Each structure stands twice: as structure tokens, then as C-alpha cells.
Amino acid sequence: MKKFTKKLVSASVLLSCSLLANTAQAQSSVWQVSNGNDSLFIGGTVHILPKAEMPLPAEFNHAYEQADTIILEAPLPDPADTNAQMQMLGALSYTNNETLSQKLEPEIKASLENKLSEFGANLAKLDGFRPAMVSIVLMSMELQKQNLMGEGVDAYFTKKATEDNKTKNYLETMEFQLALFRAMGQGNENDFIKRNLAELHNYNDMFEDLLAAWRKGDTDALNKVALEDMQQNDPNSYKQIIANRNNDWLPKVEAMFNNDKNEFVLVGVAHLAGQDSLLTLLEDKGYKVSLVDIDSTADITVRGLNNG
């Protein structure tokens, strides 16, 4: 039970795992958003980051040092918190003796069983969980197989802010995110599981492409790797996970201006690419959005969305 919960906590971002500029020379996924003389930083996170990707790009630490308040998507429960673990597992479990197997066609069920057997697991132990939880476990097993598991950017800054006594605020509650995951795949379990199984075949390449694009702040590549397939093949999930949440976050970010705080907002990098990205929404409202770049001489520069 605890192992499943830790996988859920560490992997939740990739699910919620978006500008328009050519950012080929950039070395970060950190942007400065300005309204006159007031500004804040927005950083795109990867919720599972292999140890080989540490230390983080210098731009992240620069933004963190400038900030007195860290804004995250939602609180990350302590793995030692048994009540939080049970709440998470309960939210992603079926009730009334329902099982995932009951909702899958024989061919899809057999494919899922075969894939789980490759990891030394079986469907019987997962059958009581909803599609999102099964997807998270599959993804975590594949990442472990490829030696790509590691502490995410969100978890890193959560710990660092706690140690440094910096204020932590959140855009969402954990209850909201659990409800979001609970609904994923509901009513289209066969398509959802089939698509997740298909993605595992190329997961190593996809994840490495995602990390490369994240490190450069290459939003065109991020859009292609993280969003295009979801937009085309699962538009409802794209709307729920990406577009709707970006629109919900927009007024919360706007409210951070014109106060006496310096904020560093950290959200999944998929929310900072594509036509519905949080950064594009801010630019459309008249804010200046610039990519932060600290070069080898430690000079800090910014690149606007439309001027490269």
C-alpha cells in the first residue's frame, strides 16, 4: 500500500504533465512575468527527475533565491502520513465490488496482464484501482526499469522552502487533484488503458525528449512531446488536465501582482507550452513574459516570447 502511494505522489505530475518563441539558446524552463515594475517567476517542473539531472539549472535557484513565497500546484503529502495515504488510495479505488477487469474488453485485459507480468506484477493486486492509478503504477514501473526514477522538482523545492522557512502556498488542494485523477479514464477505460500501454513502448525515448526540452525551455518540443498526442487522441483529458486548470490558475497568478511578496510559481512544465499555456494566457492579458537565461558567465538575461 505504501509503495503504491509513494508512486502516486511522485508520479502525479507527469499526468498533469506546456511559447511561441524560438528558445533554442535557452537553458531553463523559468520565466519572468512582469506587470510594469512588478514581476514574479514561473518555473516548469518535472515531477519525476532522475538523479543524473541534478543539480537543477541555475535559473531555478536564481528564481528561488529572489522569492520569499513558493507557489506549488498542491501540497505533497508526507509518505509517513498514514491518513493521507489511505485518503489517496481510497480516492483512486473502486467501491461496491467494482473492478477494472469488469470494464475491459478481453483483448485489452490480456494486454494489460501481459505488460504487468513483464514487471513481475499481476492484475489481481491492481484490479480494485481506477484507471489513473493503474496508469501511474505502469509508468512508475517503466521508469524504475529504465533507472529514471528520482525526486521531482516540486518535492525538491518543497523540502528546500521548508528548511529555509519560506512561505509555501498552493494553486489547488490535494482533494481537487485526487478528484481529477479519479475521473480519468472513467467511461472510456478500454481506450485509456490501451493508449497507456502503447505509450510504454516508447516511454524511455519520450521521457528523455521531455527532459531535454524542459532543460532548454524549448516549448515547441514540450508541446510535441507532452501535449499533441493528448490533444488529438484524448481531447477531454487535455481539457480537464491542462486547459481548464490553466484558466483556473490565471486569476490566482494575477492576484500575486501589486503586493509586497516575491513569488516563484512552480507548475508542471506541460502547463507552460502549447496554445492554452498559462504563459500564453498571461501574455494575452498584457503581461510581459520573458525566458530567464543565466549564461556561463552568470549574467542574467531574459528573452521575450516574441523577440527571441
Side-chain angles (χ1 to χ4, degrees), residues 164-199:
D164 296 339
N165 293 316
K166 291 197 177 188
T167 301
K168 299 188 295 293
N169 289 325
Y170 306 97
L171 297 170
E172 297 171 343
T173 64
M174 180 54 66
E175 289 76 13
F176 174 87
Q177 289 203 347
L178 288 176
L180 190 69
F181 292 150
R182 180 184 177 90
M184 290 177 62
Q186 184 173 325
N188 65 329
E189 289 84 359
N190 285 283
D191 288 342
F192 184 87
I193 294 298
K194 183 179 180 179
R195 186 169 58 254
N196 276 269
L197 290 173
E199 289 174 352

Side-chain angles (χ1 to χ4, degrees), residues 34-79:
S34 303
N35 180 23
N37 294 325
D38 196 3
S39 67
L40 54 80
F41 292 102
I42 297 181
T45 68
V46 179
H47 303 297
I48 297 177
L49 194 66
K51 293 181 180 179
E53 293 294 324
M54 297 296 284
L56 293 173
E59 291 79 5
F60 279 89
N61 289 320
H62 167 74
Y64 175 82
E65 293 299 330
Q66 299 299 309
D68 50 46
T69 302
I70 307 301
I71 313 294
L72 299 146
E73 286 188 24
L76 295 176
D78 188 331

Side-chain angles (χ1 to χ4, degrees), residues 256-306:
M256 297 174 196
F257 289 94
N258 300 316
N259 60 25
D260 59 352
K261 303 294 184 182
N262 295 318
E263 296 92 351
F264 184 20
V265 181
L266 290 156
V267 298
V269 73
H271 291 278
L272 304 180
Q275 61 186 11
D276 301 307
S277 83
L278 179 59
L279 297 179
T280 298
L281 293 175
L282 285 163
E283 190 186 42
D284 288 345
K285 292 292 292 287
Y287 296 89
K288 180 182 178 182
V289 180
S290 306
L291 186 65
V292 178
D293 184 14
I294 301 178
D295 63 24
S296 59
T297 62
D299 290 332
I300 300 171
T301 60
V302 294
R303 295 188 177 91
L305 289 183
N306 297 315

Side-chain angles (χ1 to χ4, degrees), residues 14-213:
L14 289 178
L15 290 174
S16 59
C17 247
S18 254
L19 204 188
L20 303 175
N22 177 356
T23 60
Q25 300 301 314
Q27 296 298 314
S28 75
S29 284
V30 177
W31 286 263
Q32 186 174 34
V33 181
S34 303
N35 180 23
N37 294 325
D38 196 3
S39 67
L40 54 80
F41 292 102
I42 297 181
T45 68
V46 179
H47 303 297
I48 297 177
L49 194 66
K51 293 181 180 179
E53 293 294 324
M54 297 296 284
L56 293 173
E59 291 79 5
F60 279 89
N61 289 320
H62 167 74
Y64 175 82
E65 293 299 330
Q66 299 299 309
D68 50 46
T69 302
I70 307 301
I71 313 294
L72 299 146
E73 286 188 24
L76 295 176
D78 188 331
D81 187 339
T82 303
N83 290 332
Q85 290 181 22
M86 296 307 297
Q87 179 186 5
M88 296 169 73
L89 291 173
L92 297 180
S93 298
Y94 286 113
T95 57
N96 300 322
N97 296 318
E98 285 186 281
T99 65
L100 182 59
S101 291
Q102 296 169 349
K103 304 173 186 299
L104 296 179
E105 298 172 356
E107 182 180 352
I108 304 300
K109 179 183 176 182
S111 296
L112 177 57
E113 289 176 324
N114 289 338
K115 176 54 68 174
L116 287 169
S117 69
E118 293 179 14
F119 297 123
N122 61 74
L123 182 56
K125 292 185 178 180
L126 294 172
D127 214 13
F129 288 111
R130 294 177 180 274
M133 184 62 175
V134 176
S135 172
I136 290 170
V137 173
L138 285 170
M139 178 185 62
S140 298
M141 288 177 172
E142 182 64 27
L143 289 171
Q144 288 177 331
K145 177 183 175 181
Q146 302 292 341
N147 294 317
L148 293 173
M149 288 294 286
E151 181 181 63
V153 178
D154 312 74
Y156 172 81
F157 279 113
T158 294
K159 290 180 180 179
K160 188 169 178 59
T162 299
E163 293 170 355
D164 296 339
N165 293 316
K166 291 197 177 188
T167 301
K168 299 188 295 293
N169 289 325
Y170 306 97
L171 297 170
E172 297 171 343
T173 64
M174 180 54 66
E175 289 76 13
F176 174 87
Q177 289 203 347
L178 288 176
L180 190 69
F181 292 150
R182 180 184 177 90
M184 290 177 62
Q186 184 173 325
N188 65 329
E189 289 84 359
N190 285 283
D191 288 342
F192 184 87
I193 294 298
K194 183 179 180 179
R195 186 169 58 254
N196 276 269
L197 290 173
E199 289 174 352
L200 288 179
H201 291 297
N202 301 310
Y203 205 89
N204 182 59
D205 291 341
M206 184 278 289
F207 192 61
E208 289 185 352
D209 289 345
L210 174 70
L211 291 177

